[in-house]
Amino acid sequence: MQTELQQSIKSLLKKRNAVLLAHNYMRDEVQEIADITGDSLGLSQEAASTSADVIVFCGVHFMAESAAILSPDKTVLLPRLDAGCPMADMISAEELLKFRKQHPGVPVVTYVNSSAEVKAYSDICCTSANALKVVNSLPDKEIIFTPDRNLGTYVSRFSDKKFHLWDGFCPTHERLKPEAVTALKAANPGALFICHPECNPAVVELADHVCSTTGMYDYCRKSPAKAFIIGTEAGILYRLRLENPGKEFILASPALFCPNMKLTSLEDIKAALETMQPVVRVSEEIRIRAKQALDRMIAVPRD
Ligand code: 13P
Ligand code: SF4
């Protein structure tokens, strides 16, 4: 049953003709009332196709920016403007331009966990769900991959292209150590270890399956296994447990907690809908360039 606060958010959403998009890492009570929950790819596609006037983006800043890039005629609200992504902050547009100069003519593939400016100076974007398809869609023999060295390393294992990796990473996923996984595997024989490609390669090495967050829902639903050790941010457990009542989900480490993803509260969402603030905007010059990189990604066939 919804609380009074959740109900008042629901009626404000109706009043504003707004849609509430929530990333799979959001707090449980936020996911509970979201119109759509999803991974970065799914949410960016929803943002591009929604007929709502207002998008309330419950996630981090780069995600709301992507929504603003794809839907310039809509108002994009990010209830907590201070919800950032440390990995996205690990590369600036200036640094990317310098890196490009060191590898002239090499196309840049940029993970969506990046600023609008960095996207604007990239050739194509990718998410964890489509990174390999995006890389393989390019005719070039070499690519620059930014900002996530772990996702880049993982994808490079399945590609014969030469990767020039930017040295960025997700501090949350990086906190998961291989020793923690080995110990949990020993204590839970029969449990499958599923992890996100943002994890360190030494952790990915131990995985039975590697995928985006939405990929985890699909995999765990279809798998005959009864127990899973989960190597991604804790917020994923809410829907995994809801959708699979007979199965056990064990978080691979208590350190898998992204403080930025946990900032947005129901009170923040209500305040954003009441005041129609804070709005995320991207300058038109950057938006047009960044949109090309996002559009090229969206045009890559899924299967
Ligand atoms: P997805 O790849 O499932 O979108 O999430 C990864 C992430 O860390 C988003 O910040
Ligand atoms: Fe950024 Fe990692 Fe948090 Fe995702 S989980 S927002 S990549 S710090």
Side-chain angles (χ1 to χ4, degrees):
M1 226 189 55
Q2 284 179 1
T3 63
E4 219 170 279
L5 182 52
Q6 287 176 316
Q7 280 167 12
S8 64
I9 291 171
K10 279 293 191 191
S11 49
L12 277 166
L13 285 165
K14 235 182 236 155
K15 182 175 150 198
R16 300 286 195 196
N17 189 24
V19 65
L20 197 154
L21 305 184
H23 189 267
N24 295 325
Y25 296 159
M26 286 285 107
R27 297 183 191 189
D28 296 1
E29 64 273 22
V30 173
Q31 293 195 45
E32 232 168 74
I33 54 158
D35 294 299
I36 296 146
T37 54
D39 61 9
S40 304
L41 178 61
L43 293 179
S44 61
Q45 286 169 331
E46 290 297 339
S49 67
T50 179
S51 60
D53 296 320
V54 178
I55 296 171
V56 184
F57 213 114
C58 297
V60 291
H61 193 263
F62 74 80
M63 297 180 176
E65 262 189 348
S66 293
I69 291 164
L70 293 169
S71 308
D73 50 332
K74 299 191 195 318
T75 303
V76 178
L77 298 173
L78 179 68
R80 287 292 295 255
L81 212 45
D82 52 344
C85 169
M87 167 161 39
D89 295 340
M90 286 179 191
I91 186 165
S92 66
E94 291 70 33
E95 287 169 321
L96 174 56
L97 287 174
K98 244 194 206 164
F99 201 43
R100 282 194 89 126
K101 269 203 185 133
Q102 290 165 18
H103 306 284
V106 177
V108 177
V109 179
T110 290
Y111 190 27
V112 287
N113 296 33
S114 51
S115 68
E117 284 80 10
V118 166
K119 289 183 179 78
Y121 294 106
S122 304
D123 294 278
I124 188 165
C125 289
C126 74
T127 73
S128 60
N130 63 12
L132 182 62
K133 286 198 177 83
V134 165
V135 165
N136 285 341
S137 74
L138 300 172
D140 313 73
K141 288 199 164 57
E142 289 183 37
I143 61 152
I144 290 171
F145 193 96
T146 69
D148 187 3
R149 64 174 188 223
N150 290 345
L151 177 61
T153 301
Y154 175 68
V155 173
S156 71
R157 284 171 38 189
F158 305 97
S159 167
D160 39 23
K161 295 186 198 300
K162 183 171 177 189
F163 279 57
H164 302 280
L165 297 174
W166 187 257
D167 197 22
F169 61 92
C170 163
T172 297
H173 286 85
E174 193 69 19
R175 282 196 291 274
L176 175 58
K177 301 295 173 210
E179 300 76 35
V181 176
T182 318
L184 274 176
K185 278 183 128 184
N188 298 277
L192 296 180
F193 173 54
I194 323 287
C195 81
H196 195 278
E198 284 178 20
C199 291
N200 188 278
V203 167
V204 168
E205 199 60 41
L206 301 170
D208 294 293
H209 190 63
V210 182
C211 57
S212 77
T213 51
T214 295
M216 288 188 193
Y217 297 126
D218 297 339
Y219 184 85
C220 294
R221 195 174 51 243
K222 289 178 190 151
S223 168
K226 287 279 174 250
F228 303 85
I229 300 163
I230 300 296
T232 197
E233 211 277 342
I236 188 119
L237 296 173
Y238 167 73
R239 232 175 90 192
L240 279 174
R241 288 180 176 147
L242 200 73
E243 292 178 356
N244 303 278
K247 297 181 179 178
E248 188 190 1
F249 296 96
I250 305 154
L251 193 64
S253 162
L256 284 165
F257 181 91
C258 173
N260 287 284
M261 282 286 185
K262 294 296 178 280
L263 277 178
T264 310
S265 69
L266 292 174
E267 285 80 5
D268 295 325
I269 298 170
K270 184 166 180 243
L273 278 161
E274 279 167 351
T275 61
M276 293 298 282
Q277 293 288 338
V279 176
V280 171
R281 288 193 185 87
V282 177
S283 80
E284 197 53 13
E285 190 197 337
I286 294 293
R287 192 190 73 78
I288 288 169
R289 293 188 64 138
K291 187 171 184 299
Q292 284 176 356
L294 282 167
D295 282 344
R296 284 191 198 115
M297 168 188 87
I298 291 169
V300 173
R302 277 184 179 202
D303 289 305

